[in-house]
């Protein structure tokens, strides 16, 4: 495309939007290839798995994998596998998050939720199967360094389970109708959403040349701030954006009496807090210089996104 937006910068790099579209379409194609064909038996389950993970979503976690991969010149074929794995876990988490026993939502990514389009039992199995597929992909990639690969599998497993996303979801359900203080809310957000965002960043870095201990610590600081930022912005959007823009039902958090950063501190202070987190995340990237350009751009995208 010859639009000014797609013109490479002076350093020969694509503009952010063009880079983002490139990663999104690469990940879409990789997921479409990795998921079982819709007609393979059991066809209804495979159709539902494809429904829940293709043609939708901002693909923020894959974008973070690719952006972090730039810190250590990671090969794209490894990044694609890591990105697909983390996106499959994320898609599974959304299918279960929307179930009647959890948030009871009927709209996701602008379409009926998986259990509405198919049925609840199928949606449960979709989650189970997307999760298994994520680990199958990550284990199947031919990494030169097997030790590193095991570290990546362990990282993704831990981020998904009771000490990560699933644990955060448990806290979220227990917190309905209660008010949490800020450290409690931060823990819930760090687990239910932050853990997978952090895993995406660290997985991207692990696909490339090893970082020094100091650089790894800086990247982890970034990943934790970015993870919390992501959910604080999700809380803000839930009560400021429309259902049409979000592609999911707006105003659900207040209606379901969920503690959020907006219920804790009000909209203005929640926005200020998001601004603080953005600054802290960007500062953590300072040791990386130009190599962190995409991570910096993504931090701004996560802060300024409209859905
Ligand atoms: C929504 O995540 C759920 C949260 C963890 C806050 P996203 O906003 O990344 O959802 P998609 O993937 O773009 O639909
Ligand atoms: C979702 O948090 C977190 C996970 C799916 C793990 P929310 O419940 O706020 O996400 P949305 O708003 O439904 O996307
Ligand atoms: Mg939820
Ligand atoms: Mg929800
Ligand atoms: Mg939400």
């Amino acid at each position: 495309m010859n639009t000014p937006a797609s013109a490479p910068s002076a350093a020969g790099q694509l503009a952010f939007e063009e880079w983002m579209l490139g990663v999104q379409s690469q990940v879409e194609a990789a997921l479409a290839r990795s998921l079982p064909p819709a007609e393979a038996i059991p066809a209804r389950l495979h159709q539902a798995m494809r429904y829940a993970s293709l043609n939708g979503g901002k693909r923020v976690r894959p974008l973070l994998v690719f952006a972090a991969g730039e810190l250590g010149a990671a090969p794209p074929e490894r990044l694609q596998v890591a990105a697909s794995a983390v996106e499959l876990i994320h898609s599974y988490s959304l299918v279960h998050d929307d179930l009647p026993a959890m948030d009871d939502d009927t709209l996701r990514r602008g379409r009926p939720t998986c259990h509405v389009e198919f049925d609840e039992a199928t949606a449960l199995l979709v989650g189970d199967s997307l999760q298994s597929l994520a680990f199958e992909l990550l284990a199947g990639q031919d990494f030169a360094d097997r030790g590193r690969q095991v570290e990546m599998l362990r990282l993704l497993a831990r981020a998904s389970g009771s000490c990560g996303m699933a644990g955060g979801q448990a806290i979220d359900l227990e917190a309905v109708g209660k008010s949490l203080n800020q450290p409690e809310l931060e823990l819930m957000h760090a687990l239910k959403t932050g853990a997978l965002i952090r895993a995406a960043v660290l997985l991207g870095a692990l696909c490339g040349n090893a970082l020094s201990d100091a650089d790894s610590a800086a990247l982890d600081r970034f990943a934790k701030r970015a993870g919390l930022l992501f959910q604080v912005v999700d809380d803000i959007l839930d009560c400021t954006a429309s259902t049409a823009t979000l592609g999911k039902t707006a105003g659900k958090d207040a209606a379901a009496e969920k503690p959020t950063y907006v219920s804790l501190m009000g909209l203005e202070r929640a926005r200020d807090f998001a601004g603080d987190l953005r600054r802290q995340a960007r500062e953590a990237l300072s040791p990386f210089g130009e190599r962190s350009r995409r991570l910096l751009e993504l931090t701004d995208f996560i802060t300024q996104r409209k859905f």
Side-chain angles (χ1 to χ4, degrees), residues 97 103 108 192 231 234-235 237-238 248 252-253 260:
D97 182 72
D103 288 354
R108 171 68 64 185
K192 77 171 181 171
Q231 185 63 42
D234 185 81
D235 289 354
L237 289 172
D238 184 88
K248 56 186 183 183
K252 278 297 303 254
D253 292 335
T260 66

Side-chain angles (χ1 to χ4, degrees), residues 164-205:
M165 182 275 292
Q169 291 285 65
I171 298 174
D172 177 295
L173 294 176
E174 268 174 38
V176 168
K178 299 188 183 144
S179 63
L180 300 183
N181 63 29
Q182 191 164 341
E184 290 167 340
L185 191 60
E186 179 161 336
L187 177 66
M188 177 174 107
H189 280 24
L191 293 180
K192 77 171 181 171
T193 298
L196 273 188
I197 298 272
R198 172 175 178 258
V201 172
L202 302 188
L203 286 173

